[in-house]
Amino acid sequence: MSNKPHCRNDSSQVRNLMQFQDADKSDGSNRQDMTKKPKENSRQDGGSSSSSSCTATSSSPSGHTSSPSGHTSSPCCTSSPSGHTSSPSGHTSSPSHGTSSPSTSGAVGHEKRDKREDGSSLCCKLDDLKRLPQCNRQLGPLDFSATHTVLVDVDSFNKGDGLRPQRGRDMWNNNFVKMPSSEASSAVVKTGFPKTPTKVRRWDEIQKHLKGLTKKTTVSVKDVEEAIIKCNPTYKDQWSFDALSSFVKCIPKEENYFPALFPKIAKLALQLPDYVGKAIPMLQRGRPASITLSQVQISCLLANAFFCTFPHRNATNPTAEYHNYPSINFSSLFGKWSERKREKLRAIMHYFNVVTESRPTGLVTFERRCLRDTDVSTWRKCKEMMHKLHVASDGAIETEGTGMLQVDFACNMIGGGVLGAGLVQEEILFLINPELIVSRLFTEKLEDNECLIITGAQQFSCYTGFSDTFEWAGPYEDHLPSDEWGRKQRQILAIDALHFKHSSEQYSMRKVMRELNKAYCGFKGDGSDGPDIATGKWGCGAFNGDPQLKAVIQLMAAAKARRGLAFFTFGDYLLKHDLEQIHHLLVKEGTTVGKLFGLLEDYCSDQHRGPDVDLFEFIRNHYRPSKSHL
């Protein structure tokens, strides 16, 4: 498998997608030993490292996800490789070529299907899953509401007069982002002779130090360090900048544009009061709400994060004011040099280089969604049957899943270790789409019944590898079309799986219920037309999730939400083969979500009695007395 970055032309990819011309895909990975439980890689998403990603994705035209309008189709879709790229989880995928058969609809188990050559599964094609070109949701004019904050002037936007910041009051309380430019943000400096402590407006100090950088043609890492420390004197002896310093030193001169970029980032940071004129609400736990910002506003906020200007966001102890929020200031990214940090900084610096040279013109929406109590306790009574499924051992969520709701295998603190040492699926996703990082500014830790959906983030970078082999692989030109609100048609769903210290912990119905509700929170729609879901080995690997159990959980959540599922096993042929077969069995037997929930209860009970039971085999054994279709 080549490690050469593979970049496809966005416009041709989208054009092909619009014509529904994805190819059939068959399994291209090596068959694993047919053991009952395949070994997982030691990472959260359970993926394997691979070549590269340089492809566009797209999203729902709305800020919300939704279920298809009651359509069901053939039970299982298959795929075959034709070329290789990779997902944010670093897994191989194949670009789409050729033509496809039209999508079919109707009750599962009641329409014509083609049979696989081995006769093991009745199959449909990947194209039978619903993508954005098939969705007809009309957004209407951009507007704000009690639960939707818009940071741009909606009247100007709707009239076509461009993006102008919405003006409003400055708010300084726990319900809003405490801005560095706020009148209430103060600092104590020593002035006069003899020098005495004096309380001053902190933004005045920030302006003084950052303006010093903007007056220079080139700025050294030492200059950046001094400016950051002067804005945060408490951390003078605590923060290290060795990663930033080593990064600039190790990049060849012909690629080293950073001394000229630093003053541009400082200038962008200083434009905060001009670009963000209204208080940004926190997306707090238990409160469904959404925020729409312009890409320019996001770039300005991230420039301030670069210079660590956000007040009260540096302390990490359990009693800190923002202990329940992810970090946002970049201080942790600049310290503790590593090869990972080098590649992370290459991606971040490229983003700033792009947005300081050419102002982006779109919007991005961040929506916190909460599952209602009425949705939580209905699994046992759920009469929905299995929905459409596509399984592939090759392929990637953000390439073959173009146009679908794409699952981010998230941390409950959104973004995970993107500003630290972490470098698996979520962190890579945030690095190639850096606008996602701003969600850390206002998104409180996700609760068990919550998720975050981001619509409109732009991809800026290509990459190769995964974890320790991750490398920034150059710029990415994102030509995805935009929706009526000026958002890139890319929609990302962040759902966090449980982390099991011991894998046996997951075989408890309380834990299973938690995962079912978490997945359903993200998968369920808002009652309008929406795409199907692209996912994979969510919560496996380092999180110790059982791939078979996690696959069944996602099948159930998708069925309850009446949405099809594209499931990428990232090179795990055994899981692909078994999942196709078990889904085929469930469809043929007319198994409802409620019936499958009962089987999981029995399965977990068996697990607690001690024997090492394979879930798929357990399900097969249940149906063995009746006519088997396997």
Side-chain angles (χ1 to χ4, degrees), residues 40 115 120 179 233 292 309 320 330 474 494 537:
E40 297 304 309
K115 186 173 280 190
S120 64
M179 300 289 279
T292 295
T309 68
F330 280 20
K537 297 166 76 173

Side-chain angles (χ1 to χ4, degrees), residues 349-364:
M349 299 304 279
H350 170 67
Y351 164 74
F352 281 121
N353 194 40
V354 173
V355 297
T356 55
E357 287 295 322
S358 178
R359 183 181 300 179
T361 59
L363 299 179
V364 183

Side-chain angles (χ1 to χ4, degrees), residues 58-67 132 135-143 147-150 283 288-293 363-370 405 451-457 482-494 521-531 563:
S58 59
S59 72
S60 167
S62 73
H64 313 280
T65 57
S66 63
S67 64
L132 286 177
C135 301
N136 300 308
R137 180 182 173 93
Q138 299 299 312
L139 291 173
L142 177 65
D143 201 4
T147 58
H148 181 204
T149 299
V150 182
L283 294 180
S290 56
I291 302 170
T292 295
L293 306 98
L363 299 179
V364 183
T365 298
F366 301 82
E367 179 194 0
R368 189 184 191 109
R369 181 174 292 177
C370 307
L405 176 64
C451 67
L452 184 71
I453 298 174
I454 305 106
T455 302
S482 298
D483 64 19
E484 299 169 68
W485 291 1
R487 301 174 302 185
K488 290 284 185 184
Q489 291 190 345
R490 175 177 292 108
Q491 191 169 59
I492 295 166
L493 164 65
C521 178
F523 292 0
K524 75 186 293 287
D526 60 358
S528 59
D529 203 19
R563 302 179 83 164

Side-chain angles (χ1 to χ4, degrees), residues 238-512:
Q238 298 180 41
W239 286 353
S240 165
F241 293 83
D242 65 305
L244 184 61
S245 178
S246 299
F247 164 70
V248 172
K249 289 177 183 177
C250 77
I251 301 299
K253 284 187 178 181
E254 59 272 17
E255 300 176 28
N256 202 324
Y257 55 83
F258 312 121
L261 178 59
F262 290 143
K264 295 178 183 178
I265 302 175
K267 181 179 179 181
L268 180 59
L270 288 171
Q271 292 175 299
L272 183 62
D274 299 324
Y275 286 148
V276 183
K278 180 179 180 178
I280 304 173
M282 293 296 197
L283 294 180
Q284 296 172 316
R285 58 184 176 179
R287 299 181 182 179
S290 56
I291 302 170
T292 295
L293 306 98
S294 72
Q295 290 182 278
V296 169
Q297 289 171 326
I298 292 172
S299 69
C300 187
L301 292 167
L302 290 179
N304 275 273
F306 182 91
F307 284 102
C308 306
T309 68
F310 287 103
H312 302 192
R313 297 304 290 266
N314 297 320
T316 58
N317 62 73
T319 60
E321 182 178 353
Y322 290 97
H323 73 278
N324 217 34
Y325 287 80
S327 62
I328 184 62
N329 290 329
F330 280 20
S331 53
S332 57
L333 181 64
F334 295 152
K336 297 183 180 179
W337 164 254
S338 67
E339 297 297 314
R340 290 185 174 196
K341 290 284 185 72
R342 179 190 64 196
E343 300 306 313
K344 286 186 175 190
L345 285 166
R346 290 177 77 184
I348 295 295
M349 299 304 279
H350 170 67
Y351 164 74
F352 281 121
N353 194 40
V354 173
V355 297
T356 55
E357 287 295 322
S358 178
R359 183 181 300 179
T361 59
L363 299 179
V364 183
T365 298
F366 301 82
E367 179 194 0
R368 189 184 191 109
R369 181 174 292 177
C370 307
L371 196 65
R372 297 172 302 179
D373 290 341
T374 54
D375 292 320
V376 170
S377 60
T378 59
W379 291 102
R380 191 176 287 102
K381 298 177 182 179
C382 182
K383 301 300 182 183
E384 297 295 334
M385 293 194 287
M386 297 301 102
H387 230 61
K388 292 184 289 187
L389 175 69
H390 163 79
V391 190
S393 57
D394 279 344
I397 290 172
E398 86 283 10
T399 51
E400 276 63 33
T402 298
M404 299 181 191
L405 176 64
Q406 300 171 341
V407 177
D408 163 21
F409 305 159
C411 175
N412 55 14
M413 291 286 199
I414 194 71
V418 64
L419 299 181
L423 199 46
V424 287
Q425 195 247 19
E426 181 173 41
E427 288 85 359
I428 294 174
L429 188 64
F430 276 53
L431 291 170
I432 64 174
N433 305 277
E435 290 164 336
L436 300 177
I437 296 174
V438 81
S439 63
R440 297 169 64 87
L441 177 63
F442 44 72
T443 306
E444 191 172 9
K445 179 181 178 181
L446 296 175
E447 294 294 305
D448 288 345
N449 64 334
E450 297 179 324
C451 67
L452 184 71
I453 298 174
I454 305 106
T455 302
Q458 180 175 335
Q459 183 174 339
F460 287 83
S461 292
C462 300
Y463 76 95
T464 65
F466 182 90
S467 190
D468 287 336
T469 64
F470 172 84
E471 290 184 9
W472 182 78
Y476 177 77
E477 295 294 330
D478 193 340
H479 298 300
L480 280 179
S482 298
D483 64 19
E484 299 169 68
W485 291 1
R487 301 174 302 185
K488 290 284 185 184
Q489 291 190 345
R490 175 177 292 108
Q491 191 169 59
I492 295 166
L493 164 65
I495 50 174
D496 56 296
L498 289 173
H499 187 178
F500 301 108
K501 185 176 181 180
H502 303 289
S503 61
S504 59
E505 296 171 4
Q506 67 195 292
Y507 304 114
S508 130
M509 283 311 294
R510 185 173 65 85
K511 302 290 177 62
V512 169

Side-chain angles (χ1 to χ4, degrees), residues 550-578:
K550 279 296 196 291
V552 168
I553 284 170
Q554 292 183 86
L555 278 178
M556 293 170 66
K560 184 175 172 67
R562 293 175 173 263
R563 302 179 83 164
L565 207 65
F567 194 100
F568 299 94
T569 69
F570 311 129
D572 188 340
Y573 177 82
L574 179 59
L575 180 60
K576 172 188 183 295
H577 176 267
D578 287 351

